[in-house]
Amino acid sequence: MIEIAALLFAAAVGVTIANWLSLPGIPLLLLCGWGLTLAGFTLSPDTLSKSLELGLAFLVFASGAELDPRRLHGRARETLVATLVQMVAIGTLIYAGARWMGYGNRIALHFAVAFSASSTLVATRQLRRLGQTLEPFARFSTRVLLTQDFFVVLLLAALATVDGRAGGPLAALAKVPLLLAPALACQRWVLPWLLARRHFGEETLLLFLLAALFLFLAGAGALGLPLIVGAFFAGMVFSPFPASSVVRGQLASLSEFFAALFFTTLAQLAAKPEPALLAKAAVFAVLILLVRPLLGTLFARRAGLESRAAVESGLLLAQVSEYALIVALVGFQSGILGREDFALIGLVTALTMTVTPFVADDRMASRLLRFWRKPRQPETRPEWRDHVLMIGYGAGGKWIMKPLLDAGVEVLVVDDDPAVAAQLHAKGIACICGDGADPQVLAAAGAVRARAVLASPRRVADALKMLRSAAGVPVIVRVFETAEADEVRRLGGIPVMNSSAGADHFMDWFRQTTAASERVPKPAG
Amino acid sequence: MMTDATYLHSLGLIVAAAVVMAFAAKLVKMPTIVAFLLAGLVIGPLTGLVAMSHALELISEIGIALLLFIVGLELSLDKIREVGRVAVVAGIGQVVFTALIGFGLTLLMGFTPMESAFLATALTFSSTVVVVKLLDEKREMDSLYGRIAVGIFLVQDLVAIVMLTFLAGLGRDTGAGPAELATGVAKAFGGMILLLGTTLAAAKWILPRPFAWASRSPETTFLWSLCWCFLAVLGAKLLGLSLEIGAFLAGLSLAQLPFNQDVRVRLHPLMSFFIAVFFVSLGVKMDLGAALASAWTVAALSLFVLIGNPFIFIWIISRMGYSEKTSFFTGVTVAQISEFSFILVTMGVANGIVAPEILSLTAMIGLITISLSSYFILYNRQLYDFCRRAGWLKFFRARQDDTGEAPPPAISDHVIIVGINSLGRELATRLAADGNRVLAIDTDPAKLKGLPCETLLGNIQYAAVLEEAGLRRARLVVSALRIEEANELLAYHCRAEGVSYATNVMDLGGMDHLLAMDTRYMITPKVDGMKRARKELETLGILPS
């Protein structure tokens, strides 16, 4: 009990610091777990192994439960290509780098697999933090991340037998379908049957979930596969909607608890990092931070994302997955990796994860977009006058452009996305590729001589710059919060708050339906 | 790669057996606790598939701690104070009566005085874990009878600690003298007061600020709450108290803080897992061999617990002015023996004071009384109606009118707003201004502040939150969330309950799916914002009206 309490305490401290600094939790959990070791707190081998076992099982199970087939619907090929090519490219690079540093073949292979995927947990957290989960780049990145998780699990199955045990990697991979098939069968037939019986209640559903986990763990054990393969496939059973959503809450409690124990416990296995080890970790981390965003951007662009979205997607994937730690654990427990190798993987994972919030944001994307090859600027008139200046051309811009053109209004767009600018040029619509908050760009766009400015800024601070640069011109600004609307109004702008507009329409509907029948009629069935 | 396959194997078997029995139990409306105990019997004494280990004991202990922590979280100090007097009087009164009558009964059955003392004491204690689990299942923890029962069990726990101290001394050569007994009693009460004082002082002066900061992140609150629970449990152990008392006081101290409900809901799945292992393990540990040979003794003593204990309770509680119904409902909660009973008798066997057969006997009585009393508690309303119609309750001459004891009516015909972002806030404010009863739900307490309506802190991913919000009685559910999965989950639950649903739609591509789930209205702030921008251009004369 004391050991569990100490681990939980370390985890709580780690998560608190992570929240305070707006950093991902995993590096801080590792750090606090390691802090426990430094403080002389050593877990008994029994607690160590059991914390790792259960933590690993629940962590991977939760990861499998995220693999909703709907997410890949219609995009499977593009996602597969993006995932596999990136994983192979990064893996090869890491393998070559490790060999060059003098690591043996098997250790280099472990490094290659460990560093080949990006972190679903960290990326999802970052997207939620920035409110970007519904952006097209977020959907693309999430698809890639989930597919990466699946392939890492397969690679782990192969890796666990790389020393020739149980017939070698190919034999291990050949056994995978024997576990995948029942998982898919349960997903298709057993789960709908279970969900149809709502009277079973939450507790029974939770027990069923746990039983599936242990059953698949047993199945993996019987087939000689690593248990995490069983845990992942058990999670996949619950991945389709509505099961994924129904069990998410239950699973979240379990996985949060066990993951906290897992990551803090894991640090107990690592050696104290010496300067040479730190240097090696830094080399790997820099390599990953440089190459992965490039590859990610390239494939996102190939998948049809616009330039900014592609860059944001690339940046979002610029870290190593939590699966790296699992690969490290597999390697350590099979005796291939030593404590130093284990520490190296932990360090690279922690470093790249920690950097993510600083690189995966729209400021960094804006900076990088400056290096993007800009489309040839069209011949614009030396002095724009009596036009409508549209700053930012998103979905809203598209919707409003047509009536403006139909009404014979001259429209000039300012957008920092080269792909958007190129598309507009192709359609014969004037566009300046640049930052809409830059006074020089606004001056070139004739903001002070426009009939009106329509602004959809990412940050309200940008809107305020626009208002100052277009003094005397009606500026319609999209805002998200009441305080922002008040500020825009105070500076003479016309705020348009989407939520307020949405609420107006909703209230109209609600009052009508309420008036029609005192109670809102219930849907049939 | 795993190092201890036996442990995972045992845990897997326990869970699998629990699931199979729980499914079967649902079919015959058997309480899950009984199903878990039977599952334990099957994989333990009957087949020998699973043996207890230190890890399983630890999981069981964590389960008990979490269960009592959740109970504490649910009950505020005021609610406990309200039932304090009746809990102390009934708790001690019942212990005295049951122990005396039980002692006489067992002596008559031919047991030695020492065996009779152990058996009578074992029959005295009721199982906090069993009753709390059942009350939680029935969602009646907060009812008056639930609170009285919890109060009584805590008093019993204290008495049990004193009794354990006393009976443990019986095995020693010196015996437990009056001085030793007095020290034991003083230590138990002193420890209780110290722990209670520390936890409540911390709750009042230390915890509110850091927890208020942490509550912006549910995961952080969750982990710190668990830490607090384990800290109190360790403190209780240090002071010689039971882990139940430590966990309960930890929960009680956090119950005063505004996020208690959210923590409780988040802890629930974790507790369900651990507590299922506890109950199955309880079955695994039961050695019924010798008990089968003395069926009549088992039957007589079980009947005494099943009927005698409730009888004593109903009599005491009704004498204290509570209605017949509340007295009856409270009374039936004590119709079983406790895990303390097993510990007590095990101690007696280990000290060589009582024969091993007494342990088997206690286990059998435990199995029977826990199983049957689970039915009593789950179907207490039907049982009450039956006993009343049969005229068996007239003897108690209890007050018939239960006005003031019934729980307040549940919220109904309301509009639930999920997600208090700018849209949710607009909707809640406008709907409330129109005179609708509105309940706003969010995971961030800061967002719920200052709303002109009722609020609930929680995550709708947990069915318990929807239950608490009265989803099935709602007039309309509106999701302002920008999280697709959550919006779809709400659509799913609303369709299943036949409640109208409106949702925020950020991606128009997802509309078909929501429509297929009977969503009544789609709020499209982006589109509506564009329409408004267009309107502004019309007002400026740039676009024709």
Side-chain angles (χ1 to χ4, degrees):
Chain A
M1 194 72 98
I2 291 175
E3 288 179 319
I4 302 286
L7 287 173
L8 277 174
F9 177 74
V13 171
V15 172
T16 305
I17 299 172
N19 273 337
W20 186 39
L21 301 175
S22 295
L23 292 174
I26 296 171
L28 270 305
L29 287 174
L30 291 172
L31 190 67
C32 288
W34 195 58
L36 273 185
T37 319
L38 283 187
F41 182 88
T42 314
L43 289 174
S44 66
D46 194 43
T47 310
L48 185 85
S49 69
K50 286 177 177 67
S51 290
L52 290 176
E53 281 162 14
L54 277 178
L56 195 61
F58 279 102
L59 189 70
V60 177
F61 182 72
S63 168
E66 291 294 323
L67 203 66
D68 184 352
R70 260 194 328 156
R71 291 187 201 245
L72 298 177
H73 187 66
R75 306 275 184 156
R77 193 168 167 273
E78 130 198 328
T79 309
L80 271 177
V81 170
T83 306
L84 286 173
V85 175
Q86 284 188 68
M87 285 181 78
V88 169
I90 293 276
T92 310
L93 197 68
I94 297 292
Y95 179 81
R99 295 290 283 164
W100 178 73
M101 283 182 190
Y103 286 103
N105 179 42
R106 289 193 300 174
I107 297 177
L109 264 177
H110 276 77
F111 286 173
V113 174
F115 300 151
S116 63
S118 305
S119 168
T120 311
L121 288 180
V122 173
T124 310
R125 178 190 173 277
Q126 179 71 358
L127 289 171
R128 289 212 174 121
R129 199 169 72 84
L130 300 176
Q132 292 178 320
T133 44
L134 299 175
E135 298 289 332
F137 86 87
R139 290 180 190 276
F140 172 77
S141 308
T142 310
R143 282 198 298 273
V144 170
L145 285 163
L146 294 174
T147 317
Q148 279 184 354
D149 288 350
F150 179 78
F151 282 108
V152 172
V153 170
L154 291 190
L155 286 171
L156 267 166
L159 209 56
T161 53
V162 77
D163 55 354
R165 278 183 297 136
L170 284 178
L173 286 175
K175 288 177 195 163
V176 167
L178 296 176
L179 208 56
L180 184 59
L184 295 176
C186 286
Q187 193 186 80
R188 177 146 192 173
W189 291 294
V190 181
L191 198 62
W193 175 85
L194 185 79
L195 287 173
R197 277 144 190 85
R198 291 176 62 83
H199 64 276
F200 277 175
E202 266 201 323
E203 191 183 38
T204 315
L205 187 64
L206 176 73
L207 285 172
F208 183 83
L209 186 139
L210 293 167
L213 170 63
F214 285 105
L215 203 65
F216 276 86
L217 288 179
L223 289 170
L225 291 169
L227 297 187
I228 57 161
V229 180
F232 190 83
F233 288 167
M236 275 178 67
V237 171
F238 297 90
S239 62
F241 181 83
S244 53
S245 298
V246 172
V247 302
R248 189 167 279 130
Q250 309 238 19
L251 195 50
S253 298
L254 289 162
S255 59
E256 271 173 22
F257 175 79
F258 286 110
L261 291 185
F262 175 73
F263 289 118
T264 41
T265 308
L266 206 58
Q268 296 252 324
L269 299 179
K272 189 181 166 197
E274 300 297 333
L277 188 72
L278 283 170
K280 282 179 188 171
V283 170
F284 278 120
V286 169
L287 199 66
I288 288 161
L289 286 167
L290 288 176
V291 177
R292 203 192 292 280
L294 276 175
L295 281 173
T297 306
L298 197 72
F299 280 96
R301 196 69 191 96
R302 270 178 60 100
L305 293 183
E306 285 160 358
S307 318
R308 170 179 278 278
V311 171
E312 285 179 323
S313 174
L315 292 173
L316 186 70
L317 304 179
Q319 77 293 113
V320 167
S321 167
E322 52 281 359
Y323 272 94
L325 299 168
I326 297 171
V327 174
L329 185 62
V330 172
F332 182 77
Q333 291 188 327
S334 62
I336 296 172
L337 299 183
R339 279 185 185 273
E340 285 216 344
D341 308 320
F342 186 88
L344 179 90
I345 294 180
L347 276 170
V348 176
T349 310
L351 281 172
T352 53
M353 281 182 172
T354 308
V355 169
T356 300
F358 303 102
V359 297
D361 71 349
D362 60 76
R363 282 192 184 84
M364 179 62 86
S366 298
R367 271 183 220 127
L368 291 179
L369 270 179
R370 288 184 202 144
F371 300 106
W372 199 277
R373 191 164 58 87
K374 295 227 164 55
R376 191 177 55 82
Q377 295 285 350
E379 287 188 16
T380 54
R381 280 180 288 160
E383 193 170 87
W384 281 86
R385 186 178 290 280
D386 291 334
H387 58 299
V388 167
L389 178 59
M390 198 181 276
I391 303 172
Y393 185 77
K398 284 173 198 156
W399 196 82
I400 222 151
M401 178 64 83
K402 192 171 181 308
L404 282 169
L405 295 178
D406 289 349
V409 177
E410 280 192 293
V411 183
L412 172 63
V413 178
V414 172
D415 199 294
D416 64 353
D417 193 317
V420 171
Q423 280 168 20
L424 288 170
H425 291 162
K427 287 180 189 166
I429 297 168
C431 175
I432 295 176
C433 186
D435 180 0
D438 182 345
Q440 283 186 332
V441 173
L442 289 169
V448 284
R449 296 179 299 277
R451 287 174 77 183
V453 176
L454 268 173
S456 311
R458 287 172 195 278
R459 291 172 289 269
V460 75
D462 290 347
L464 304 183
K465 285 184 201 167
M466 292 167 195
L467 279 163
R468 277 193 280 273
S469 297
V473 175
V475 181
I476 301 166
V477 186
R478 182 199 62 188
V479 291
F480 296 102
E481 296 295 335
T482 315
E484 294 171 353
D486 292 343
E487 184 66 5
V488 167
R489 207 174 284 117
R490 195 179 65 77
L491 290 168
I494 305 164
V496 169
M497 198 158 97
N498 288 354
S499 55
S500 169
D504 281 347
H505 276 88
F506 169 83
M507 289 306 293
D508 289 345
W509 169 79
F510 183 77
R511 284 173 190 140
Q512 278 169 19
T513 23
T514 310
S517 61
E518 266 187 31
R519 284 173 61 86
V520 177
K522 296 190 170 185
Chain B
M1 60 170 271
M2 302 295 181
T3 51
D4 187 357
T6 323
Y7 159 65
L8 272 187
H9 177 77
S10 300
L11 201 54
L13 268 174
I14 285 178
V15 173
V19 171
V20 172
M21 293 307 287
F23 269 93
K26 289 279 173 194
L27 298 177
V28 294
K29 297 194 172 174
M30 182 198 284
T32 41
I33 287 181
V34 182
F36 292 159
L37 287 174
L38 290 178
L41 280 175
V42 171
I43 59 172
L46 289 182
T47 57
L49 287 170
V50 171
M52 282 308 287
S53 63
H54 171 67
L56 291 179
E57 294 281 7
L58 180 64
I59 290 183
S60 300
E61 277 194 8
I62 295 176
I64 297 171
L66 290 179
L67 182 68
L68 268 295
F69 183 55
I70 287 176
V71 175
L73 277 170
E74 192 150 348
L75 301 176
S76 69
L77 201 61
D78 290 339
K79 287 178 187 170
I80 285 286
R81 209 177 286 140
E82 216 176 278
V83 298
R85 192 171 146 261
V86 63
V88 171
V89 173
I92 294 175
Q94 179 261 339
V95 167
V96 172
F97 278 112
T98 311
L100 286 177
I101 301 170
F103 185 72
L105 193 66
T106 43
L107 270 181
L108 281 176
M109 287 175 163
F111 290 100
T112 66
M114 188 57 80
E115 285 172 345
S116 296
F118 267 86
L119 263 176
T121 314
L123 300 183
T124 300
F125 302 116
S126 312
S127 173
T128 314
V129 186
V130 169
V131 176
V132 162
K133 173 80 174 63
L134 289 164
L135 289 176
D136 181 62
E137 226 172 288
K138 281 180 68 113
R139 298 189 191 283
E140 288 185 357
M141 186 72 71
D142 202 21
S143 63
L144 180 63
Y145 86 89
R147 279 180 280 146
I148 297 176
V150 171
I152 288 167
F153 291 133
L154 289 171
V155 172
Q156 279 195 355
D157 272 2
L158 261 183
V159 178
I161 291 160
V162 176
M163 296 293 265
L164 282 178
T165 316
F166 174 66
L167 290 170
L170 289 179
R172 296 177 203 147
D173 294 338
T174 52
E180 206 169 331
L181 184 61
T183 315
V185 173
K187 267 175 80 176
F189 279 95
M192 174 82 172
I193 290 164
L194 184 65
L195 196 62
L196 182 68
T198 314
T199 48
L200 292 184
K204 187 156 188 182
W205 291 294
I206 301 169
L207 299 178
R209 268 171 177 269
F211 266 100
W213 182 82
S215 65
R216 301 295 295 264
S217 153
E219 190 195 356
T220 315
T221 322
F222 175 74
L223 285 175
W224 278 116
S225 304
L226 279 171
C227 281
W228 181 240
C229 169
F230 281 98
L231 189 70
V233 166
L234 292 175
K237 284 194 164 184
L238 208 67
L239 294 167
L241 297 170
S242 67
L243 75 96
E244 282 96 333
I245 288 181
F248 176 79
L249 291 180
L252 193 65
S253 59
L254 291 190
Q256 326 301 320
L257 304 178
F259 53 82
N260 67 327
Q261 214 153 302
D262 188 43
V263 173
R264 186 161 52 81
V265 169
R266 282 173 189 278
L267 280 173
H268 210 275
L270 199 60
M271 180 275 287
S272 296
F273 167 52
F274 284 110
I275 209 71
V277 176
F278 162 75
F279 281 114
V280 179
S281 303
L282 201 60
V284 170
K285 283 190 284 192
M286 279 182 178
D287 175 16
L288 306 174
L292 297 171
S294 38
W296 286 110
T297 313
V298 169
L301 293 177
S302 299
L303 269 179
F304 172 61
V305 174
L306 287 166
I307 297 170
N309 272 356
F311 184 91
I312 295 167
F313 256 102
I314 298 171
W315 187 78
I316 296 175
I317 294 169
S318 59
R319 293 286 77 72
M320 295 185 77
Y322 286 91
S323 70
E324 183 182 87
K325 192 188 257 181
T326 301
S327 308
F328 182 86
F329 284 1
T330 315
V332 293
T333 58
V334 294
Q336 76 292 114
I337 63 168
S338 150
E339 53 283 0
F340 263 130
S341 312
F342 304 133
I343 296 171
L344 185 88
V345 180
T346 309
M347 194 189 283
V349 174
N351 285 349
I353 308 169
V354 292
E357 292 77 38
I358 302 293
L359 186 59
S360 303
L361 206 69
T362 314
M364 194 66 181
I365 296 168
L367 181 68
I368 292 170
T369 56
I370 289 173
S371 304
L372 289 177
S373 71
S374 300
Y375 280 99
F376 289 1
I377 297 169
L378 276 189
Y379 302 103
N380 57 4
R381 280 181 174 73
Q382 292 89 328
L383 189 64
Y384 172 68
D385 290 339
F386 176 78
C387 293
R388 198 157 176 250
R389 275 199 300 271
W392 296 343
L393 302 178
K394 280 181 189 157
F395 165 81
F396 298 105
R397 279 184 274 157
R399 182 161 63 84
Q400 297 296 308
D401 177 23
D402 64 345
T403 318
E405 293 178 4
I411 186 169
S412 64
D413 205 29
H414 52 304
V415 179
I416 300 174
I417 311 280
V418 181
I420 304 306
N421 46 29
S422 54
L423 176 64
R425 186 165 283 273
E426 287 270 344
L427 294 174
T429 310
R430 293 188 197 192
L431 284 164
D434 271 14
N436 298 291
R437 188 170 185 187
V438 179
L439 175 70
I441 307 179
D442 201 281
T443 52
D444 185 349
K447 289 184 180 167
L448 293 171
K449 266 189 193 159
L451 281 178
C453 59
E454 291 166 68
T455 58
L456 175 64
L457 184 73
N459 188 330
I460 52 95
Q461 283 179 346
Y462 296 91
V465 172
L466 298 177
E467 181 74 31
E468 189 110 21
L471 179 103
R472 69 185 61 159
R473 297 181 301 277
R475 180 185 193 184
L476 174 72
V477 175
V478 189
S479 174
L481 293 170
R482 297 189 187 111
I483 306 167
E484 269 179 358
E485 294 90 348
N487 289 344
E488 288 179 355
L489 176 66
L490 276 169
Y492 170 79
H493 283 305
C494 286
R495 184 169 67 161
E497 299 292 352
V499 177
S500 293
Y501 178 59
T503 183
N504 183 9
V505 179
M506 302 301 289
D507 180 3
L508 304 185
M511 275 182 153
D512 288 346
H513 190 228
L514 286 163
L515 277 173
M517 288 195 286
D518 297 336
T519 302
R520 295 289 312 281
Y521 184 82
M522 314 267 183
I523 309 170
T524 50
K526 263 190 184 175
V527 176
D528 296 334
M530 287 178 228
K531 284 182 186 163
R532 182 164 288 177
R534 185 178 167 157
K535 202 118 193 139
E536 295 292 350
L537 287 171
E538 287 171 12
T539 312
L540 292 169
I542 296 169
L543 283 177
S545 302

